[in-house]
């Protein structure tokens, strides 16, 4: 399938139309193996001119809870 094929256009259009915003999340943890798989896929994904460096911080447990609380507090004051 080439980048300009009708199948590609249909796939892109489907992705755009099926996109949604999620503002509530399930409380269960994401398995570590899945996180590693997703980060590996992101690591090899193409970037524009390969110019934008990125870093990832993964939090769990008390650290994740503290960050979540800080964002919740900040969001409440930012409105």
């Amino acid at each position: 399938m080439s980048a300009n094929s009708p199948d590609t256009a249909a796939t892109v259009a489907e992705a755009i139309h099926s996109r949604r915003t999620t503002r509530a999340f399930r409380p269960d943890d994401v398995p570590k193996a899945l996180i590693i798989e997703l980060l590996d896929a992101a690591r090899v994904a193409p970037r524009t001119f390969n110019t934008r460096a990125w870093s990832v911080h993964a939090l769990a447990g008390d650290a994740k809870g503290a960050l979540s609380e800080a964002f919740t507090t900040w969001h409440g004051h930012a409105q």
Side-chain angles (χ1 to χ4, degrees), residues 20-59:
R20 67 182 191 275
T21 299
T22 302
R23 292 189 176 89
F25 300 93
R26 294 171 33 173
D28 44 318
D29 292 336
V30 177
K32 186 175 181 178
L34 179 57
I35 293 170
I36 291 170
E37 181 181 342
L38 293 170
L39 291 174
D40 190 53
R43 180 183 59 82
V44 297
R47 295 181 299 254
T48 304
F49 303 114
N50 211 16
T51 58
R52 188 171 276 196
W54 58 279
S55 62
V56 174
H57 303 273
L59 302 175

Side-chain angles (χ1 to χ4, degrees), residues 58-69:
L59 302 175
D62 291 341
K64 182 181 105 179
L67 182 63
S68 178
E69 182 65 32

